[in-house]
Amino acid sequence: MVKAGAQKVNYAGATFKDGTVADLKVGAKVEVKGRISSDGTVVNATEVKFDD
């Protein structure tokens, strides 16, 4: 799990485009697609795409 701003993101079931989980680090620019959990605390990502 990582944080995007103040939002927690669970990427366990996500596919990655233009990068890998190893590329997730502070300052990385990504677009996340997925659903927000029922309690609103976590985005369950289905896709993580790295931006330039």
Side-chain angles (χ1 to χ4, degrees):
M1 190 164 320
V2 295
K3 285 183 111 179
Q7 185 66 59
K8 293 180 183 177
V9 179
N10 176 358
Y11 58 84
T15 57
F16 286 81
K17 293 191 176 184
D18 301 325
T20 68
V21 68
D23 297 315
L24 288 174
K25 54 188 155 204
V26 173
K29 294 183 180 184
V30 297
E31 177 181 324
V32 176
K33 292 184 180 178
R35 294 191 166 262
I36 297 175
S37 63
S38 60
D39 64 4
T41 61
V42 177
V43 174
N44 292 302
T46 56
E47 180 180 297
V48 177
K49 181 180 176 187
F50 289 84
D51 293 333
D52 292 334

